[in-house]
Structures are given as structure tokens and as C-alpha cells.
Amino acid sequence: QVQLVESGGGLVQPGGSLKLSCAASGNIFSINAMGWYRQAPGKERELVATTNSGIINYADSVKGRFTISRDNAKNTVYLQMNSLKPEDTAVYYCYANIRSTSLSYLVAYWGQGTQVIVSS
């Protein structure tokens, strides 16, 4: 059994900062890609940032403001969000491509989502 647990969402004023965390746990053999997506009301889920073997990608809308990082020893991925804007308001989901100890291939797992609201 593998699961991802997110934390760190909340309400913040425009220009403020938040840090999201996502920890993978369970029968993990290996993890390659980890990252974050978000979904705003009435919109499709969109990629925010990913990290895989040291290669990092960001959505254009968050470049220079968000930073993704990863602690492989803790199976945890982080998203530091600075200079937040109202348009960053969304439910943020983490994901990870994980090979469990019972399988020989990777499976994509998702967190439960954490709400981020940017408002004055």
C-alpha cells in the first residue's frame, strides 16, 4: 500500500508565501518523478512543477515565484510558493511515479489535494 499525504495549504494574502509538502509512504521500492498539479474552480488540472533525476520543469505562470524541491531520504517533495497571486488559488495535488515492493513497474499515485486561497 502506497499513499501520498499533503500538507501546507491555506489562506494567504496576495504577495505572501506558502510551502506545501507531500510525503510518500508505504511499500516503496523506488520513486522517479514527483511533482505538483493544481486545479482551479471550473478549470482543468494543470501542471505546476515536476522534478525527476535532477531535471526540473515549471509552468510559465509560476516561473521565478515557485520552487520545487525534494528530499529523497524522506520520500518528500516540497513546493515553495512566493509572491502569490489570486490566480494561484486552486486545489494543489502532488503526484509521484512509484514502484512498490510488490510490482515491477511504476504506478502514478496522487495526493488528496490541499486548498490554496490567495485573497485579501
Side-chain angles (χ1 to χ4, degrees):
Q1 194 81 3
V2 173
Q3 62 176 352
L4 301 182
V5 178
E6 303 167 5
S7 61
L11 172 65
V12 64
Q13 293 186 342
S17 298
L18 281 175
K19 186 173 184 177
L20 307 182
S21 300
C22 173
S25 63
N27 300 324
I28 296 171
F29 179 81
S30 64
I31 304 176
N32 65 1
M34 300 185 82
W36 295 89
Y37 280 72
R38 67 185 181 186
Q39 187 166 19
K43 295 187 177 181
E44 294 185 354
R45 190 174 296 191
E46 63 174 358
L47 175 70
V48 177
T50 63
T51 176
N52 186 7
S53 299
I55 298 172
I56 292 176
N57 290 297
Y58 293 101
D60 288 342
S61 59
V62 307
K63 283 180 181 176
R65 300 187 299 121
F66 291 10
T67 302
I68 189 171
S69 61
R70 180 170 169 176
D71 186 335
N72 291 326
K74 296 181 178 179
N75 291 332
T76 299
V77 64
Y78 305 95
L79 186 68
Q80 177 67 47
M81 304 185 293
N82 299 328
S83 302
L84 283 160
K85 305 175 181 180
E87 51 263 44
D88 295 317
T89 295
V91 178
Y92 284 70
Y93 298 90
C94 71
Y95 83 94
N97 291 336
I98 297 174
R99 178 185 168 188
S100 70
T101 56
S102 59
L103 297 174
S104 60
Y105 51 87
L106 294 165
V107 174
Y109 291 88
W110 291 86
Q112 79 282 4
T114 185
Q115 178 74 59
V116 172
I117 299 174
V118 184
S119 175
S120 55

